[in-house]
Amino acid sequence: MKITQTVCADAQSSWPHDGVDFTAKRVGVIGTGATAVQTIPEIAQQAKHLTVFQRTPTFCVPARNGCVDPEVTKARKADYDGIRQRIKDSFFGFDLNFIPKSVLETTPEEREQEFDKMWDTGGFAFWLANYQDMFFSKEANDVIADYLRRKIRSVVNDPAIAEKLTPKTYPYGTKRQPLDTNYFETFNKKNVVLVDATADGPIEEITPNGIRAGGREYPLDIIVIATGFDALTGSLKKLGIKGRGGRALAQEWEDGPQTYLGLAIAGYPNLFTITGPQSPSVLSNVTVSIEQHVEWISECIAHMRRSKLATIEATPQAQDAWGAHVAEVVNSTLMPSANSWYMGANIDGKPRRFLPYLGPEGVGGYRRKCNDVAENGYEGFVFASRGQGGTVHPIAAE
């Protein structure tokens, strides 16, 4: 039997609109990131046999999806305004805050209680409301990561498989935090096999009958590709955008993205990049960040209409200063030590550069920075008005 279907799990546009029936099929999933973590347990319930091809194991925390306690719902609805304000001022755009102490200052019993509470709660709490030195100190990070490694080993029955599923090569939190429902438990099923690139050998080729990895062929009927995105820059580069003098954005960003505030690009007038590279974007509750950008851009356009201005454009100086600030901030953390898509490391040939913005005060601090720029006459931007003959006249921002 030959492969009958290959589907991409990382883009809704590539997933068959009428769904995929895995019943009685031999299925292979390539990847163990956030998308795969969500799909693997579901496929394993339908498929005759599931083979998971893993390059890098993933730290997972339970999603704990389910019915919400009516009393919790009532309390949240009664505090909508407070919640909205807190997430706007927060670090990651969630109603969550770091524990304001070092994990190294706590006793083993104290930290274990905190970890258990966050684990039982589920969701992003373990990632975004942990001890404040998690992203800065490798020693502190190791303490937190050890808790998650112990959880994996306690759930997976086969010690050899548990070790393959246990991350050891990067600090916890420096890659996207997948939320799972029975992900690790799935590898206890008899119809599920894990093929690890390090222990068993990497994928060598896709054959007419399946996948060859580590010198062995795995017969498959369906292959699900969950290998990630060309995040933050890929979609913008593919649009074919050109700026002044016909400068192609794809060429401009060959060595990595350059923006001002993640909102605008020097040489590309009237182009706004909502949650673009070098803004909090994917490191935040992205809905909160989208709202902040849309509100800022809307007010900027209104200002231009009131002032009869035709174009707005970031200055090269402001763009260079912002890029240096983004790099300086992230280089004080553990984030660059992981081969993550935050660093562009998942795409062959993509420059290794931290793509979002991890500001010292997070989403709240970034919001205040954008507001300050506007209040200071759109500092770092240059405007131009249009004369009677259509001529554009530059006007420096005050």
Side-chain angles (χ1 to χ4, degrees):
M1 184 179 291
K2 294 186 176 181
I3 295 173
T4 58
Q5 197 168 15
T6 302
V7 293
C8 178
D10 283 305
Q12 290 184 345
S13 60
S14 301
W15 189 264
H17 290 187
D18 55 354
V20 181
D21 184 4
F22 296 104
T23 305
K25 301 293 186 181
R26 300 169 300 176
V27 182
V29 175
I30 302 175
T32 53
T35 301
V37 163
Q38 296 174 66
T39 57
I40 285 169
E42 294 299 313
I43 293 173
Q45 294 182 50
Q46 302 176 41
K48 175 183 178 181
H49 192 275
L50 173 63
T51 306
V52 177
F53 296 88
Q54 171 185 272
R55 181 176 62 182
T56 307
T58 303
F59 286 108
C60 292
V61 172
R64 306 293 186 204
N65 293 325
C67 296
V68 179
D69 186 317
E71 290 302 313
V72 173
T73 301
K74 182 179 178 180
R76 299 290 283 181
K77 287 183 176 181
D79 191 28
Y80 268 156
D81 290 343
I83 292 169
R84 292 276 295 170
Q85 192 57 52
R86 289 196 296 276
I87 64 175
K88 286 181 177 181
D89 295 336
S90 69
F91 198 97
F92 288 108
F94 290 86
D95 197 4
L96 298 168
N97 294 291
F98 290 119
I99 300 171
K101 65 167 70 172
S102 168
V103 68
L104 302 176
E105 297 172 351
T106 64
T107 65
E109 294 77 18
E110 179 185 349
R111 70 182 66 139
E112 199 77 4
Q113 286 180 357
E114 289 288 355
F115 294 157
D116 284 344
K117 183 169 66 175
M118 289 183 282
W119 178 268
D120 292 340
T121 300
F124 284 126
F126 205 94
W127 191 31
L128 307 182
N130 217 305
Y131 290 91
Q132 64 181 12
D133 52 350
M134 182 181 79
F135 289 108
F136 299 94
S137 164
K138 181 63 165 56
E139 186 180 1
N141 191 283
D142 285 343
V143 172
I144 296 167
D146 177 67
Y147 177 88
L148 295 177
R149 294 184 180 113
R150 285 187 279 121
K151 284 293 186 183
I152 296 170
R153 291 165 181 146
S154 70
V155 169
V156 181
N157 296 335
D158 186 325
I161 296 175
E163 286 308 303
K164 291 179 182 180
L165 290 168
T166 302
K168 305 181 184 74
T169 60
Y170 59 92
Y172 168 65
T174 55
K175 290 193 174 197
R176 185 72 169 180
Q177 170 66 81
L179 302 180
D180 81 283
T181 301
N182 298 323
Y183 174 68
F184 293 115
E185 289 87 343
T186 297
F187 291 93
N188 293 329
K189 292 178 175 286
K190 293 181 179 180
N191 67 324
V192 178
V193 168
L194 176 67
V195 178
D196 178 68
T198 301
D200 305 310
I203 292 176
E204 297 159 354
E205 64 175 330
I206 295 178
T207 69
N209 297 313
I211 292 177
R212 181 177 297 279
R216 174 183 172 185
E217 185 169 17
Y218 297 85
L220 304 169
D221 302 308
I222 300 175
I223 297 176
V224 178
I225 300 171
T227 52
F229 305 86
D230 188 354
L232 284 161
T233 58
S235 55
L236 289 169
K237 290 169 71 173
K238 289 177 181 177
L239 287 174
I241 296 170
K242 292 186 178 180
R244 294 196 185 278
R247 295 158 60 189
L249 183 63
Q251 185 174 3
E252 190 95 1
W253 283 1
E254 276 187 339
D255 296 326
Q258 304 172 78
T259 76
Y260 180 39
L261 302 174
L263 265 169
I265 306 163
Y268 295 80
N270 292 353
L271 173 66
F272 294 108
T273 52
I274 295 174
T275 59
Q278 298 183 330
S279 77
S281 57
V282 295
L283 270 182
S284 69
N285 180 344
V286 75
T287 303
V288 174
S289 290
I290 289 170
E291 288 179 347
Q292 183 259 324
H293 269 190
V294 169
E295 290 167 359
W296 191 95
I297 292 166
S298 298
E299 177 51 38
C300 178
I301 293 172
H303 164 77
M304 293 176 67
R305 286 175 175 167
R306 290 191 299 266
S307 306
K308 300 187 183 328
L309 300 170
T311 66
I312 180 173
E313 183 178 342
T315 68
Q317 295 82 5
Q319 180 170 275
D320 290 346
W322 183 251
H325 170 62
V326 171
E328 180 183 15
V329 170
V330 77
N331 286 337
S332 68
T333 74
L334 299 172
M335 299 297 283
S337 63
N339 289 323
S340 68
W341 58 261
Y342 292 143
M343 297 294 301
N346 65 317
I347 303 295
D348 288 341
K350 189 170 183 176
R352 188 180 174 89
R353 181 178 293 190
F354 192 69
L355 298 173
Y357 173 56
L358 186 65
E361 297 178 76
V363 167
Y366 174 80
R367 180 185 297 271
R368 290 188 288 275
K369 170 63 178 176
C370 289
N371 290 344
D372 288 345
V373 165
E375 290 170 6
N376 291 330
Y378 291 93
E379 183 180 29
F381 290 94
V382 62
F383 293 95
S385 63
R386 193 174 299 279
Q388 290 183 348
T391 305
V392 175
H393 305 288
I395 302 172
E398 295 180 358

